[in-house]
Amino acid sequence: MRLLHTMLRVGQLERSLQFYTEVLGMRLLRRQDYPEGRFTLAFVGYGEEAQQTVLELTHNWDTDAYELGNAFGHLAVEVENAAAACDQVRAKGGKVVREAGPMKHGTTVIAFVEDPDGYKIEFIERKG
């Protein structure tokens, strides 16, 4: 068994695709419209679906926004340098919500950014 993907519902697909591809550097792997169901699925990731877990962005055409609730936590992305990753996100217009630094009660360097729908993405700095 392996984890295939995580799905997020997004209010504006093009805005979300721009964030995940241009700000976070993922690639659009595939996209399919389902006119009868009035939704679009777009899959993005850092590698091919056959080898890596990817992110499914679901856009329901008649829904512009979602309440995030309090059960979902965040996505995590390994980065070489968390502070540099935050600088890159900020330079591309992204929102940093927790600057790079050691995690509470630990030594792992982490940071958090937020996508246009309010989902949190944790940067975890690769240990040397």
Side-chain angles (χ1 to χ4, degrees):
M1 283 190 272
R2 78 179 175 92
L3 188 61
L4 298 176
H5 66 262
T6 295
M7 184 271 272
L8 298 177
R9 289 181 180 89
V10 298
Q12 296 178 26
L13 183 58
E14 296 308 319
R15 177 185 72 179
S16 293
L17 284 172
Q18 186 270 334
F19 176 81
Y20 284 99
T21 60
E22 295 178 24
V23 177
L24 291 188
M26 294 181 184
R27 291 183 302 126
L28 175 61
L29 303 170
R30 62 186 168 105
R31 177 181 178 156
Q32 178 72 46
D33 291 329
Y34 295 85
E36 289 185 16
R38 300 192 50 73
F39 67 94
T40 301
L41 302 181
F43 291 80
V44 295
Y46 292 110
E48 297 303 320
E49 291 177 76
Q51 285 82 37
Q52 295 191 5
T53 303
V54 300
L55 185 60
E56 173 188 333
L57 303 176
T58 298
H59 176 243
N60 293 297
W61 299 354
D62 301 317
T63 306
D64 292 332
Y66 292 93
E67 289 185 33
L68 298 186
N70 61 5
F72 179 80
H74 60 269
L75 303 173
V77 176
E78 182 182 62
V79 297
E80 195 77 27
N81 179 307
C86 287
D87 290 343
Q88 291 172 357
V89 165
R90 196 178 292 105
K92 294 178 181 180
K95 182 178 179 182
V96 176
V97 294
R98 187 221 194 251
E99 295 293 337
M103 63 180 279
K104 190 174 186 179
H105 309 295
T107 59
T108 302
V109 176
I110 64 171
F112 281 90
V113 299
E114 192 173 270
D115 86 351
D117 288 282
Y119 294 110
K120 303 285 188 290
I121 298 99
E122 179 182 22
F123 290 154
I124 301 176
E125 192 167 286
R126 184 179 299 131
K127 292 187 177 182

